[in-house]
Amino acid sequence: ESQPIDVSVCEGEMAQLYAKITGVEPMTLIWQNSNGEGLDYTDITTQNVSGETTSTLVVNPSAETHERYYYCLATNECGSVRTDTVFLNVNQHISVYPSLPAGISLCSGVDTVISIADRIYQGADLVDEDEFEEQGITFAWHKQGETEIVSTEPYLHFSNLTDDEAGRYVCDITNACGTDDLASVLITVTLSPTITMQPHDLDVCTGGTLSLSLTAEGDGLRYAWYRNGEYLGNNSPTYTAPTVAAQYGGTYYCKVESEFDCPTAYSDT
């Protein structure tokens, strides 16, 4: 006599339960199942099951509905005997829903998190982040075409993002059914305004020319000059007043913005 053993498969795979029972012939065999240990066992009625009256029970393809307790009952003229009860575990494939956007544009210098923690499903069930470790779900983010792992969390965290970090990131997600690259996102980096040369203090005589300038780097720059907090306009890295009068005295600064809504840079006053 050979007892059946617990079997674990992934949904869609074939599962087999085998029992070798000897005795006086003729002998009838019947596999029975239950959806809970200690509950009543009944004849098998689920689809895609064969061999219910043989020594080998075949489930192909397996589905979540086949995840049950099973035993084989053998009967001859001397009576009946049943095998050990075993469990067929059907693991669910993992998926990410909804998918991440195909691409995300971020500003340099920002602190950003891109997360899939609330998008992880096993079969039709959303998995809570607190259950990832218990269910053996792991994450490995890397840049496409590179092997270096940049994160083993269900998210990417960019601190003080730089242009060098632009690229496509792929997340390999592993559970009991294997590893798949189930999430990817293209990160483009927009350069935030950075002032590389500040304006400096000036002494200008009445009737002279006032010229203040700065140098800035970034994408889609826009400039706004202010005197004593009053907006002067002039979308240029240089502010010029050709004929200075007394009212031109005061404190000046320039606000450098980005048309891509990146963080604003302010010049020295």
Side-chain angles (χ1 to χ4, degrees), residues 178-241:
T179 301
D180 287 299
D181 52 346
L182 295 173
S184 70
V185 61
L186 177 63
I187 303 297
T188 57
V189 178
T190 299
L191 296 180
S192 298
T194 302
I195 297 174
T196 58
M197 186 179 73
Q198 296 283 352
H200 55 82
D201 292 341
L202 288 177
D203 290 322
V204 181
C205 296
T206 302
T209 299
L210 169 65
S211 181
L212 296 169
S213 65
L214 56 77
T215 301
E217 296 178 348
D219 294 325
L221 298 182
R222 295 183 300 211
Y223 303 86
W225 287 89
Y226 294 81
R227 179 180 63 237
N228 299 327
E230 181 181 353
Y231 175 61
L232 300 174
N234 196 49
N235 184 18
S236 168
T238 300
Y239 173 75
T240 301

Side-chain angles (χ1 to χ4, degrees), residues 4 30 43 74 78 82 94 106 109 112 119 155-156 167 195 204 208 213 230 232 236 241 266:
I30 181 71
D43 294 344
C78 297
R82 53 177 281 185
I94 205 162
L106 301 172
T112 301
R119 304 173 185 228
Y155 53 79
L156 284 171
I195 297 174
V204 181
S213 65
E230 181 181 353
L232 300 174
S236 168
Y266 293 86

Side-chain angles (χ1 to χ4, degrees), residues 82-97:
R82 53 177 281 185
T83 65
D84 293 343
T85 299
V86 295
F87 186 67
L88 173 56
N89 180 48
V90 181
N91 297 299
Q92 302 297 304
H93 292 281
I94 205 162
S95 61
V96 177
Y97 182 82

Side-chain angles (χ1 to χ4, degrees), residues 73-208:
L73 179 68
T75 303
N76 66 7
E77 64 183 25
C78 297
S80 298
V81 65
R82 53 177 281 185
T83 65
D84 293 343
T85 299
V86 295
F87 186 67
L88 173 56
N89 180 48
V90 181
N91 297 299
Q92 302 297 304
H93 292 281
I94 205 162
S95 61
V96 177
Y97 182 82
S99 300
L100 289 173
I104 298 176
S105 181
L106 301 172
C107 296
S108 63
V110 301
D111 190 299
T112 301
V113 174
I114 299 172
S115 177
I116 56 173
D118 58 349
R119 304 173 185 228
I120 303 301
Y121 283 80
Q122 288 194 126
D125 297 326
L126 179 65
V127 184
D128 189 271
E129 185 175 357
D130 295 337
E131 299 175 357
F132 290 163
E133 183 175 355
E134 177 185 345
Q135 299 196 25
I137 301 173
T138 62
F139 304 85
W141 292 88
H142 59 89
K143 264 190 173 182
Q144 191 172 53
E146 300 181 9
T147 58
E148 180 184 1
I149 303 301
V150 298
S151 174
T152 57
E153 302 294 338
Y155 53 79
L156 284 171
H157 179 204
F158 297 101
S159 177
N160 193 26
L161 182 68
T162 67
D163 190 44
D164 292 338
E165 292 175 296
R168 180 168 295 281
Y169 289 81
V170 178
C171 186
D172 296 329
I173 307 176
T174 300
N175 74 343
C177 290
T179 301
D180 287 299
D181 52 346
L182 295 173
S184 70
V185 61
L186 177 63
I187 303 297
T188 57
V189 178
T190 299
L191 296 180
S192 298
T194 302
I195 297 174
T196 58
M197 186 179 73
Q198 296 283 352
H200 55 82
D201 292 341
L202 288 177
D203 290 322
V204 181
C205 296
T206 302

